[in-house]
Amino acid sequence: MPGLSLSEAPTALPDVTAVRVAGTLDIATLPQFEGVLRRLRDAGKVKVVVDLAQLEYISSSGLGSFLGTVDPFRAVGGDLVFVRLTDRVQKIFKVVGFTRLLTLMADEDEALRHFRGKAASLKQLILTPATSSPHSGEGFEMEVLAADDRGNAFEGFNGEASLRPSTGIVSPARIGPFKDGVWRGKVALTGPGPTGLRAVCSIPAGEVTGELTFDVLETKPLAVLPVTILCPGCALATEIRAFNVYRCRDCDEIYFIDKWAHAISLKAGHRGAPPPPKTVNVSMPADVNLLAALRGFMTAVLREHGYGQDLVNDLELAADEAVTNVVEHAYQYDTRKTVFLELIMEKKQVSVRVKDQGKAFNPTQAEPVNLDQHIAERRTGGLGVHLVQTLTDSVDYRREDGFNVLTLVKKVVKA
Amino acid sequence: MNILTVDVGASALDPGLALFRLKGHLDAQTVRELETRFDEQVRSSRVRWIVDLRELEYISSAGLGSFVGVLSELRAQGGDIFFIGLSPKMEKIFKVLGFTRIFKVFATEAEAAHAFQGA
């Protein structure tokens, strides 16, 4: 059975190519093998997995060629990795000492891990956003890589990290779980202005961080109807008169037009519009100058989820009071500290959870308000707790793992 | 965003009355600005105040507390604070905190000025 068959295939990594070798490698078929490899190298594909599972026979001239082909790949930072050697080929390689000279691996997966670079320890988080100048409050895609000090993925990390902005609000405040050392998802910042974003994760050896500065732009203006949009499937121009779901006349693409006239395809991977998130978490520096931004963010999220004006007003005020208390009492105006806030939106109720790492402070144990006494003592504070308790249906305080956790619940009342 | 604007002047109906017009958001951040304006009036012995909340979109307890804190000073000098222009949202908060028991609330500047003249 003479003859050699070579087939190329892509791998899970874009810069790694697989070549499957089947048949016989001898003086007659060798030029064919060398030709394929040379072509790959010339095309810049220098990371190659050579699959030898179907290699039935290799002659001594074939052996020499193996060695000769590897060096040019290594010289330009690539390598040939030979995988799935049959027992027979393995034995021959061993006899001639190739096991030391060539990179031999069990299978393609192992070869890909080799090419990706195996990180030995987690030293940094690398933030790669789709844009470094996002619009305020508008989500953008970001990748966060858990990596060693050379930037190789630390695949063993599948935990969570928190996001902390230097100013304004970030959502989500927690990201994860990481998968094989990577997290990808949507992130939103508030602005406008330069904003540093720090990702932090805790591992037994301490905290690992990564940081990036964004130039947050003014909120994008809402689109004015009617507006002409392009179908994300076939780019057919259509004038739309409402922010709604459309089906393209030409290509049957189904897409959603949002308030900024983005056309979002609904076909890939999901049926109909994706369900809105039920939990939104944010973190912000403990700074009273950010209260207005926090209220703006909260009211926008609650309104977007269809809650009524009364509930939005009451929770806006209750959350402001709770965060003001944290800034004043738990953190005592130290703006380097972080306040964490979580909105849990359900059909029948909305919960706001405010967390901080300040000194233990239980606002539910405050004394009842006696306004006459306040006036006599010229006190300006101490009213907030009473407002929180009156405006919400329940207030719960816990001290958990060094955190003050205050949970405010407001029930949805049908109009 | 949503910064507080405080406009203070003499009431057109009675130059002895200070008229505060508040616009925007009054919270733990912006209350400092308001308290500075309070001090100016107290220093110049204008202690009878009408506070117009018609254009105030938001108020938190930090803002409300500033009125509580200054009230006994004003009353000791024969002054007071009368509020006008409360939206239903503000009225609710005033009631919740018992402010309606402590402060007089009127619909218009004329009614508030008249009440001061009768006092």
mmCIF file of all heavy atoms in Angstrom, chain A residues 1-8 18-26 29-30 32-33 36 49-58 66 83-84 86 89:
data_model
loop_
_atom_site.group_PDB
_atom_site.id
_atom_site.type_symbol
_atom_site.label_atom_id
_atom_site.label_comp_id
_atom_site.label_asym_id
_atom_site.label_seq_id
_atom_site.Cartn_x
_atom_site.Cartn_y
_atom_site.Cartn_z
ATOM 1 N N MET A 1 0.846 -1.197 0.000
ATOM 2 C CA MET A 1 0.000 0.000 0.000
ATOM 3 C C MET A 1 0.878 1.241 0.000
ATOM 4 O O MET A 1 1.061 1.892 1.009
ATOM 5 C CB MET A 1 -0.905 -0.005 1.207
ATOM 6 C CG MET A 1 -0.087 0.023 2.466
ATOM 7 S SD MET A 1 -0.682 -0.557 3.967
ATOM 8 C CE MET A 1 0.604 -1.711 4.339
ATOM 9 N N PRO A 2 1.375 1.565 -1.145
ATOM 10 C CA PRO A 2 2.236 2.729 -1.216
ATOM 11 C C PRO A 2 1.390 3.994 -1.187
ATOM 12 O O PRO A 2 0.182 3.933 -1.248
ATOM 13 C CB PRO A 2 2.926 2.568 -2.566
ATOM 14 C CG PRO A 2 1.960 1.765 -3.381
ATOM 15 C CD PRO A 2 1.081 0.991 -2.466
ATOM 16 N N GLY A 3 2.066 5.125 -1.080
ATOM 17 C CA GLY A 3 1.340 6.402 -1.151
ATOM 18 C C GLY A 3 1.215 7.072 0.195
ATOM 19 O O GLY A 3 1.308 6.432 1.239
ATOM 20 N N LEU A 4 1.056 8.378 0.123
ATOM 21 C CA LEU A 4 0.955 9.186 1.330
ATOM 22 C C LEU A 4 -0.214 10.138 1.168
ATOM 23 O O LEU A 4 -0.401 10.729 0.107
ATOM 24 C CB LEU A 4 2.254 9.981 1.528
ATOM 25 C CG LEU A 4 2.303 10.926 2.714
ATOM 26 C CD1 LEU A 4 2.376 10.150 4.019
ATOM 27 C CD2 LEU A 4 3.492 11.872 2.596
ATOM 28 N N SER A 5 -0.988 10.230 2.217
ATOM 29 C CA SER A 5 -2.074 11.202 2.152
ATOM 30 C C SER A 5 -1.905 12.199 3.297
ATOM 31 O O SER A 5 -1.673 11.824 4.435
ATOM 32 C CB SER A 5 -3.408 10.446 2.222
ATOM 33 O OG SER A 5 -4.302 11.142 3.005
ATOM 34 N N LEU A 6 -1.975 13.497 2.947
ATOM 35 C CA LEU A 6 -1.793 14.555 3.937
ATOM 36 C C LEU A 6 -3.027 15.448 3.922
ATOM 37 O O LEU A 6 -3.475 15.861 2.855
ATOM 38 C CB LEU A 6 -0.565 15.409 3.602
ATOM 39 C CG LEU A 6 0.778 14.693 3.625
ATOM 40 C CD1 LEU A 6 1.833 15.530 2.947
ATOM 41 C CD2 LEU A 6 1.184 14.394 5.056
ATOM 42 N N SER A 7 -3.593 15.705 5.105
ATOM 43 C CA SER A 7 -4.725 16.637 5.118
ATOM 44 C C SER A 7 -4.536 17.659 6.220
ATOM 45 O O SER A 7 -4.071 17.356 7.302
ATOM 46 C CB SER A 7 -6.034 15.880 5.310
ATOM 47 O OG SER A 7 -5.984 15.166 6.515
ATOM 48 N N GLU A 8 -4.883 18.883 5.868
ATOM 49 C CA GLU A 8 -4.755 19.979 6.834
ATOM 50 C C GLU A 8 -6.104 20.256 7.468
ATOM 51 O O GLU A 8 -7.136 20.127 6.817
ATOM 52 C CB GLU A 8 -4.355 21.266 6.095
ATOM 53 C CG GLU A 8 -2.888 21.452 5.896
ATOM 54 C CD GLU A 8 -2.639 22.709 5.084
ATOM 55 O OE1 GLU A 8 -3.076 23.780 5.508
ATOM 56 O OE2 GLU A 8 -2.035 22.582 4.002
ATOM 57 N N ALA A 18 -3.442 21.721 12.148
ATOM 58 C CA ALA A 18 -3.197 20.283 12.293
ATOM 59 C C ALA A 18 -2.941 19.686 10.910
ATOM 60 O O ALA A 18 -3.575 20.076 9.927
ATOM 61 C CB ALA A 18 -4.388 19.602 12.951
ATOM 62 N N VAL A 19 -1.991 18.786 10.831
ATOM 63 C CA VAL A 19 -1.744 18.043 9.599
ATOM 64 C C VAL A 19 -1.856 16.560 9.921
ATOM 65 O O VAL A 19 -1.202 16.075 10.852
ATOM 66 C CB VAL A 19 -0.333 18.343 9.037
ATOM 67 C CG1 VAL A 19 -0.055 17.458 7.819
ATOM 68 C CG2 VAL A 19 -0.193 19.803 8.672
ATOM 69 N N ARG A 20 -2.725 15.852 9.180
ATOM 70 C CA ARG A 20 -2.881 14.424 9.425
ATOM 71 C C ARG A 20 -2.105 13.658 8.361
ATOM 72 O O ARG A 20 -2.267 13.890 7.164
ATOM 73 C CB ARG A 20 -4.352 14.029 9.394
ATOM 74 C CG ARG A 20 -5.103 14.777 10.463
ATOM 75 C CD ARG A 20 -6.384 14.130 10.913
ATOM 76 N NE ARG A 20 -6.796 14.837 12.125
ATOM 77 C CZ ARG A 20 -7.531 15.962 12.125
ATOM 78 N NH1 ARG A 20 -7.978 16.453 11.004
ATOM 79 N NH2 ARG A 20 -7.810 16.565 13.248
ATOM 80 N N VAL A 21 -1.259 12.790 8.848
ATOM 81 C CA VAL A 21 -0.397 12.021 7.948
ATOM 82 C C VAL A 21 -0.920 10.591 7.900
ATOM 83 O O VAL A 21 -1.087 9.958 8.935
ATOM 84 C CB VAL A 21 1.055 12.027 8.454
ATOM 85 C CG1 VAL A 21 1.963 11.284 7.481
ATOM 86 C CG2 VAL A 21 1.542 13.459 8.668
ATOM 87 N N ALA A 22 -1.208 10.083 6.686
ATOM 88 C CA ALA A 22 -1.682 8.701 6.557
ATOM 89 C C ALA A 22 -0.913 8.005 5.441
ATOM 90 O O ALA A 22 -0.597 8.608 4.428
ATOM 91 C CB ALA A 22 -3.181 8.695 6.254
ATOM 92 N N GLY A 23 -0.561 6.753 5.674
ATOM 93 C CA GLY A 23 0.099 5.966 4.624
ATOM 94 C C GLY A 23 1.570 5.745 4.925
ATOM 95 O O GLY A 23 1.957 5.464 6.052
ATOM 96 N N THR A 24 2.391 5.954 3.905
ATOM 97 C CA THR A 24 3.797 5.579 3.982
ATOM 98 C C THR A 24 4.687 6.791 3.757
ATOM 99 O O THR A 24 4.436 7.593 2.852
ATOM 100 C CB THR A 24 4.105 4.541 2.875
ATOM 101 O OG1 THR A 24 3.186 3.463 2.999
ATOM 102 C CG2 THR A 24 5.524 4.018 3.004
ATOM 103 N N LEU A 25 5.703 6.938 4.574
ATOM 104 C CA LEU A 25 6.684 7.994 4.359
ATOM 105 C C LEU A 25 7.991 7.339 3.951
ATOM 106 O O LEU A 25 8.630 6.659 4.758
ATOM 107 C CB LEU A 25 6.908 8.769 5.659
ATOM 108 C CG LEU A 25 6.353 10.191 5.767
ATOM 109 C CD1 LEU A 25 6.713 10.782 7.110
ATOM 110 C CD2 LEU A 25 6.829 11.092 4.642
ATOM 111 N N ASP A 26 8.351 7.523 2.702
ATOM 112 C CA ASP A 26 9.618 6.955 2.224
ATOM 113 C C ASP A 26 10.215 7.897 1.188
ATOM 114 O O ASP A 26 9.701 8.998 0.978
ATOM 115 C CB ASP A 26 9.414 5.540 1.671
ATOM 116 C CG ASP A 26 8.405 5.524 0.531
ATOM 117 O OD1 ASP A 26 8.127 6.621 -0.051
ATOM 118 O OD2 ASP A 26 7.859 4.459 0.231
ATOM 119 N N THR A 29 7.614 9.461 -1.203
ATOM 120 C CA THR A 29 6.547 10.376 -0.736
ATOM 121 C C THR A 29 7.093 11.555 0.061
ATOM 122 O O THR A 29 6.373 12.501 0.362
ATOM 123 C CB THR A 29 5.543 9.612 0.141
ATOM 124 O OG1 THR A 29 6.254 9.038 1.248
ATOM 125 C CG2 THR A 29 4.838 8.524 -0.635
ATOM 126 N N LEU A 30 8.374 11.485 0.394
ATOM 127 C CA LEU A 30 8.969 12.526 1.231
ATOM 128 C C LEU A 30 8.803 13.959 0.693
ATOM 129 O O LEU A 30 8.453 14.870 1.454
ATOM 130 C CB LEU A 30 10.461 12.198 1.416
ATOM 131 C CG LEU A 30 11.139 12.896 2.581
ATOM 132 C CD1 LEU A 30 10.422 12.615 3.872
ATOM 133 C CD2 LEU A 30 12.593 12.428 2.658
ATOM 134 N N GLN A 32 6.543 15.289 -0.957
ATOM 135 C CA GLN A 32 5.160 15.698 -0.737
ATOM 136 C C GLN A 32 5.003 16.216 0.694
ATOM 137 O O GLN A 32 4.417 17.285 0.928
ATOM 138 C CB GLN A 32 4.281 14.453 -0.951
ATOM 139 C CG GLN A 32 2.821 14.743 -1.184
ATOM 140 C CD GLN A 32 2.027 13.438 -1.201
ATOM 141 O OE1 GLN A 32 2.580 12.357 -1.488
ATOM 142 N NE2 GLN A 32 0.764 13.527 -0.882
ATOM 143 N N PHE A 33 5.545 15.486 1.653
ATOM 144 C CA PHE A 33 5.480 15.863 3.061
ATOM 145 C C PHE A 33 6.218 17.186 3.311
ATOM 146 O O PHE A 33 5.691 18.113 3.930
ATOM 147 C CB PHE A 33 6.088 14.725 3.910
ATOM 148 C CG PHE A 33 6.097 14.990 5.385
ATOM 149 C CD1 PHE A 33 4.908 15.060 6.117
ATOM 150 C CD2 PHE A 33 7.293 15.151 6.074
ATOM 151 C CE1 PHE A 33 4.919 15.296 7.483
ATOM 152 C CE2 PHE A 33 7.308 15.388 7.450
ATOM 153 C CZ PHE A 33 6.117 15.456 8.146
ATOM 154 N N VAL A 36 4.311 20.231 1.849
ATOM 155 C CA VAL A 36 3.179 20.703 2.653
ATOM 156 C C VAL A 36 3.684 21.555 3.815
ATOM 157 O O VAL A 36 3.157 22.638 4.104
ATOM 158 C CB VAL A 36 2.345 19.509 3.170
ATOM 159 C CG1 VAL A 36 1.394 19.948 4.271
ATOM 160 C CG2 VAL A 36 1.566 18.886 2.022
ATOM 161 N N VAL A 49 0.469 20.856 14.497
ATOM 162 C CA VAL A 49 0.316 19.564 15.148
ATOM 163 C C VAL A 49 0.330 18.501 14.046
ATOM 164 O O VAL A 49 -0.482 18.563 13.124
ATOM 165 C CB VAL A 49 -1.018 19.476 15.914
ATOM 166 C CG1 VAL A 49 -1.146 18.129 16.600
ATOM 167 C CG2 VAL A 49 -1.119 20.614 16.926
ATOM 168 N N VAL A 50 1.291 17.593 14.097
ATOM 169 C CA VAL A 50 1.377 16.553 13.071
ATOM 170 C C VAL A 50 0.837 15.261 13.671
ATOM 171 O O VAL A 50 1.404 14.705 14.605
ATOM 172 C CB VAL A 50 2.829 16.369 12.601
ATOM 173 C CG1 VAL A 50 2.881 15.366 11.448
ATOM 174 C CG2 VAL A 50 3.431 17.705 12.160
ATOM 175 N N ASP A 51 -0.301 14.840 13.130
ATOM 176 C CA ASP A 51 -0.996 13.671 13.659
ATOM 177 C C ASP A 51 -0.510 12.424 12.904
ATOM 178 O O ASP A 51 -0.725 12.295 11.698
ATOM 179 C CB ASP A 51 -2.502 13.867 13.459
ATOM 180 C CG ASP A 51 -3.301 12.746 14.091
ATOM 181 O OD1 ASP A 51 -2.755 11.644 14.284
ATOM 182 O OD2 ASP A 51 -4.493 12.980 14.386
ATOM 183 N N LEU A 52 0.153 11.529 13.624
ATOM 184 C CA LEU A 52 0.762 10.356 12.981
ATOM 185 C C LEU A 52 -0.029 9.073 13.209
ATOM 186 O O LEU A 52 0.484 7.975 12.994
ATOM 187 C CB LEU A 52 2.196 10.177 13.498
ATOM 188 C CG LEU A 52 3.166 11.354 13.257
ATOM 189 C CD1 LEU A 52 4.542 11.016 13.806
ATOM 190 C CD2 LEU A 52 3.260 11.697 11.783
ATOM 191 N N ALA A 53 -1.306 9.204 13.646
ATOM 192 C CA ALA A 53 -2.074 8.001 13.987
ATOM 193 C C ALA A 53 -2.197 7.046 12.795
ATOM 194 O O ALA A 53 -2.222 5.831 12.957
ATOM 195 C CB ALA A 53 -3.458 8.410 14.485
ATOM 196 N N GLN A 54 -2.270 7.606 11.575
ATOM 197 C CA GLN A 54 -2.474 6.758 10.396
ATOM 198 C C GLN A 54 -1.183 6.486 9.624
ATOM 199 O O GLN A 54 -1.227 5.996 8.507
ATOM 200 C CB GLN A 54 -3.458 7.464 9.452
ATOM 201 C CG GLN A 54 -4.755 7.900 10.085
ATOM 202 C CD GLN A 54 -5.667 6.714 10.350
ATOM 203 O OE1 GLN A 54 -5.786 5.825 9.503
ATOM 204 N NE2 GLN A 54 -6.272 6.678 11.515
ATOM 205 N N LEU A 55 -0.063 6.862 10.223
ATOM 206 C CA LEU A 55 1.215 6.604 9.549
ATOM 207 C C LEU A 55 1.563 5.130 9.726
ATOM 208 O O LEU A 55 1.748 4.645 10.838
ATOM 209 C CB LEU A 55 2.309 7.497 10.152
ATOM 210 C CG LEU A 55 3.699 7.344 9.533
ATOM 211 C CD1 LEU A 55 3.702 7.797 8.074
ATOM 212 C CD2 LEU A 55 4.738 8.132 10.329
ATOM 213 N N GLU A 56 1.614 4.440 8.614
ATOM 214 C CA GLU A 56 1.785 2.985 8.703
ATOM 215 C C GLU A 56 3.241 2.557 8.620
ATOM 216 O O GLU A 56 3.644 1.552 9.188
ATOM 217 C CB GLU A 56 0.985 2.311 7.584
ATOM 218 C CG GLU A 56 -0.495 2.301 7.885
ATOM 219 C CD GLU A 56 -1.336 2.255 6.612
ATOM 220 O OE1 GLU A 56 -0.795 1.858 5.564
ATOM 221 O OE2 GLU A 56 -2.514 2.646 6.678
ATOM 222 N N TYR A 57 3.992 3.355 7.913
ATOM 223 C CA TYR A 57 5.384 2.941 7.693
ATOM 224 C C TYR A 57 6.243 4.176 7.531
ATOM 225 O O TYR A 57 5.849 5.162 6.928
ATOM 226 C CB TYR A 57 5.490 2.055 6.438
ATOM 227 C CG TYR A 57 6.900 1.734 6.060
ATOM 228 C CD1 TYR A 57 7.623 0.746 6.754
ATOM 229 C CD2 TYR A 57 7.532 2.414 5.007
ATOM 230 C CE1 TYR A 57 8.940 0.464 6.428
ATOM 231 C CE2 TYR A 57 8.838 2.125 4.670
ATOM 232 C CZ TYR A 57 9.540 1.157 5.377
ATOM 233 O OH TYR A 57 10.835 0.880 5.051
ATOM 234 N N ILE A 58 7.434 4.154 8.076
ATOM 235 C CA ILE A 58 8.369 5.259 7.880
ATOM 236 C C ILE A 58 9.743 4.664 7.597
ATOM 237 O O ILE A 58 10.220 3.778 8.315
ATOM 238 C CB ILE A 58 8.372 6.210 9.094
ATOM 239 C CG1 ILE A 58 9.256 7.439 8.843
ATOM 240 C CG2 ILE A 58 8.786 5.509 10.380
ATOM 241 C CD1 ILE A 58 9.024 8.569 9.812
ATOM 242 N N PHE A 66 12.304 14.292 9.040
ATOM 243 C CA PHE A 66 11.623 14.816 10.218
ATOM 244 C C PHE A 66 12.490 15.849 10.925
ATOM 245 O O PHE A 66 12.051 16.943 11.236
ATOM 246 C CB PHE A 66 11.319 13.683 11.215
ATOM 247 C CG PHE A 66 9.950 13.117 11.041
ATOM 248 C CD1 PHE A 66 9.780 11.881 10.467
ATOM 249 C CD2 PHE A 66 8.861 13.826 11.459
ATOM 250 C CE1 PHE A 66 8.513 11.358 10.303
ATOM 251 C CE2 PHE A 66 7.596 13.317 11.306
ATOM 252 C CZ PHE A 66 7.411 12.076 10.711
ATOM 253 N N VAL A 83 1.871 14.004 17.329
ATOM 254 C CA VAL A 83 0.949 13.378 18.270
ATOM 255 C C VAL A 83 0.445 12.039 17.728
ATOM 256 O O VAL A 83 0.525 11.754 16.534
ATOM 257 C CB VAL A 83 -0.263 14.294 18.568
ATOM 258 C CG1 VAL A 83 0.202 15.631 19.159
ATOM 259 C CG2 VAL A 83 -1.102 14.544 17.322
ATOM 260 N N ARG A 84 -0.080 11.235 18.629
ATOM 261 C CA ARG A 84 -0.732 9.954 18.344
ATOM 262 C C ARG A 84 0.185 8.991 17.558
ATOM 263 O O ARG A 84 -0.208 8.445 16.521
ATOM 264 C CB ARG A 84 -2.041 10.189 17.593
ATOM 265 C CG ARG A 84 -3.026 11.048 18.421
ATOM 266 C CD ARG A 84 -4.425 10.663 18.151
ATOM 267 N NE ARG A 84 -4.873 11.027 16.809
ATOM 268 C CZ ARG A 84 -5.976 10.560 16.248
ATOM 269 N NH1 ARG A 84 -6.732 9.688 16.901
ATOM 270 N NH2 ARG A 84 -6.314 10.939 15.043
ATOM 271 N N THR A 86 1.876 5.657 16.674
ATOM 272 C CA THR A 86 1.558 4.240 16.877
ATOM 273 C C THR A 86 2.716 3.606 17.646
ATOM 274 O O THR A 86 3.828 4.143 17.689
ATOM 275 C CB THR A 86 1.402 3.494 15.533
ATOM 276 O OG1 THR A 86 2.649 3.629 14.821
ATOM 277 C CG2 THR A 86 0.281 4.082 14.706
ATOM 278 N N VAL A 89 5.794 3.252 15.452
ATOM 279 C CA VAL A 89 6.530 4.483 15.173
ATOM 280 C C VAL A 89 7.221 4.977 16.433
ATOM 281 O O VAL A 89 8.369 5.422 16.409
ATOM 282 C CB VAL A 89 5.579 5.553 14.591
ATOM 283 C CG1 VAL A 89 6.274 6.896 14.469
ATOM 284 C CG2 VAL A 89 5.048 5.106 13.240
#
